[in-house]
């Protein structure tokens, strides 16, 4: 959900378009999150209109306002602040060089020999090894800089194991492969009985006499482990579902529909109802 402030974004604008020939999206600037809705606030600078949308594609390497307001960025005269500002500035593309050194690299025999694309510390180590005459010593591999915008544990300097996975693997029971195995475990047995009680309470099914032209669908049990945010076990969940993929279109059913309604559809219905009183 968190995005880079001021980056370029492309919200889905079809629900608010006047007609179908308007563009589906426009380049906007991400300016924050909505407090009343679940969505991103996207500023379209030519008109000054702010679109609130959930379906947004972000380009976090592009900042449309960067060149326009670059003159407003303060220039520090203090040496410390100036060094900090230069370190945070994005270097030009021609200065980004991938540093790759393979193992068992031959060490230079003279201290005056230099190696391109090697860090200062590694180069100093190689020169000292060259003075001692050891030409077969392994050299540490310098990994190429990872410029992907995704933040990982390794980029944040976190190298300890994830405690959530350790807790899950130690205290959470295995998912059963059959109903027989589930009935032998007290936790899964309780989940199965809860599902059966819910089915009888809601009258999900009704018994009908069997006929030869019926395509009877089989069923199966689906088991899921619910975890808390801390990684501890919350509950065991079981569902009894029908194998709908065994049906054939035109023979067992004629059409499909989705029971999920969109917000734009509700607004349109309310607008028509209001207009027709």
């Amino acid at each position: 959900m968190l995005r880079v402030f001021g980056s370029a974004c492309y919200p889905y604008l079809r629900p608010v378009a006047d007609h179908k020939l308007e563009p589906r999206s426009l380049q906007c600037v991400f300016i924050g999150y909505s407090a009343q809705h679940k969505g991103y606030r996207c500023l379209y600078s030519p008109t000054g209109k702010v679109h609130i949308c959930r379906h947004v594609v972000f380009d976090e390497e592009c900042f449309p306002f960067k060149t326009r307001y670059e003159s407003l960025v303060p220039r520090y005269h203090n040496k410390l602040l100036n060094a900090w500002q230069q370190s945070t500035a994005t270097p030009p593309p021609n200065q980004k060089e991938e540093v790759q050194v393979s193992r068992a690299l031959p060490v230079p025999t003279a201290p005056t020999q230099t190696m391109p694309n090697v860090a200062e510390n590694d180069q100093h180590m190689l020169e000292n090894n060259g003075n001692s005459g050891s030409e077969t010593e392994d050299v540490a591999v310098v990994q190429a800089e990872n410029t992907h915008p995704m933040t990982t544990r390794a980029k944040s300097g976190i190298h300890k194991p994830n405690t959530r996975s350790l807790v899950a693997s130690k205290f959470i029971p295995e998912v059963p492969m059959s109903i027989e195995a589930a009935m032998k475990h007290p936790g899964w047995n309780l989940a199965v009985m809860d599902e059966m009680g819910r089915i009888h309470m809601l009258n999900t099914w009704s018994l009908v006499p069997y006929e030869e032209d019926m395509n009877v669908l089989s069923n199966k049990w689906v088991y899921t482990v619910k975890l808390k945010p801390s990684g501890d076990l919350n509950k065991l969940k079981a569902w009894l579902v029908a194998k709908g993929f065994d049906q054939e279109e035109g023979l067992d059913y004629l059409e499909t529909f989705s029971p999920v309604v969109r917000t734009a559809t509700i607004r349109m219905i309310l607008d028509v109802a209001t207009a027709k009183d």
Side-chain angles (χ1 to χ4, degrees):
M1 189 67 184
L2 298 179
R3 295 292 181 175
V4 177
F5 183 82
S7 61
C9 59
Y10 300 86
Y12 182 66
L13 302 179
R14 176 56 64 87
V16 298
D18 295 332
H19 53 81
K20 64 180 181 180
L21 298 181
E22 287 191 355
R24 296 185 179 183
S25 181
L26 296 171
Q27 186 188 54
C28 301
V29 180
F30 173 60
I31 59 173
Y33 310 91
S34 174
Q36 291 79 21
H37 310 278
K38 182 179 180 181
Y40 303 96
R41 301 180 70 244
C42 307
L43 171 65
Y44 184 55
S45 56
T47 60
K49 187 175 182 179
V50 177
H51 300 281
I52 299 178
C53 183
R54 288 188 303 171
H55 308 287
V56 183
V57 177
F58 290 88
D59 184 5
E60 297 182 343
E61 300 293 333
C62 175
F63 297 91
F65 286 166
K66 181 177 180 180
T67 56
R68 182 180 302 181
Y69 301 105
E70 190 174 4
S71 60
L72 301 180
V73 177
R75 304 298 177 183
Y76 299 104
H77 299 286
N78 185 287
K79 293 183 178 180
L80 180 61
L81 294 178
N82 191 15
W84 170 79
Q85 188 177 31
Q86 292 180 359
S87 64
T88 56
T90 305
N94 55 2
Q95 293 184 3
K96 292 184 178 179
E97 300 180 355
E98 294 185 356
V99 182
Q100 296 180 351
V101 181
S102 60
R103 288 189 177 274
L105 195 66
V107 182
T109 55
T112 57
Q113 231 172 340
T114 59
M115 297 179 60
N117 297 336
V118 180
E120 263 184 31
N121 295 336
D122 295 339
Q123 184 177 354
H124 182 65
M125 179 186 66
L126 294 178
E127 291 175 356
N128 292 339
N129 290 339
N131 293 333
S132 60
S134 57
E135 298 183 358
T136 58
E137 191 172 351
D138 291 344
V139 180
V141 178
V142 181
Q143 299 289 341
E145 181 182 0
N146 188 355
T147 58
H148 196 277
M150 180 182 295
T151 302
T152 60
R153 290 166 56 87
K155 281 187 178 181
S156 303
I158 302 174
H159 301 287
K160 61 182 181 180
N162 193 346
T163 57
R164 178 174 179 176
S165 60
L166 295 178
V167 172
S169 61
K170 189 174 182 180
F171 298 102
I172 294 179
E174 296 183 357
V175 177
M177 303 302 296
S178 62
I179 184 63
E180 291 81 7
M183 298 303 291
K184 296 178 181 179
H185 189 277
W188 290 116
N189 191 344
L190 181 60
V192 169
M193 299 310 296
D194 289 343
E195 176 68 7
M196 292 303 299
R198 192 178 303 108
I199 290 175
H200 289 299
M201 180 184 65
L202 299 177
N203 295 323
T204 305
W205 298 321
S206 58
L207 293 178
V208 296
Y210 174 74
E211 298 179 3
E212 294 183 356
D213 58 345
M214 286 183 176
N215 181 18
V216 180
L217 300 178
S218 57
N219 52 47
K220 68 174 183 178
W221 284 93
V222 179
Y223 308 96
T224 304
V225 178
K226 299 290 186 178
L227 300 178
K228 297 179 181 178
S230 60
D232 298 332
L233 177 63
N234 186 9
K235 65 177 180 178
L236 303 178
K237 184 69 176 177
W239 289 277
L240 182 61
V241 298
K243 296 182 179 179
F245 51 82
D246 290 337
Q247 301 179 94
E248 183 177 350
E249 184 178 3
L251 180 63
D252 301 306
Y253 64 93
L254 299 179
E255 62 180 356
T256 59
F257 69 96
S258 174
V260 180
V261 63
R262 295 182 58 189
T263 307
T265 306
I266 298 178
R267 291 176 180 173
M268 182 180 66
I269 296 297
L270 294 177
D271 182 68
V272 174
T274 304
K276 293 183 176 293
D277 197 16

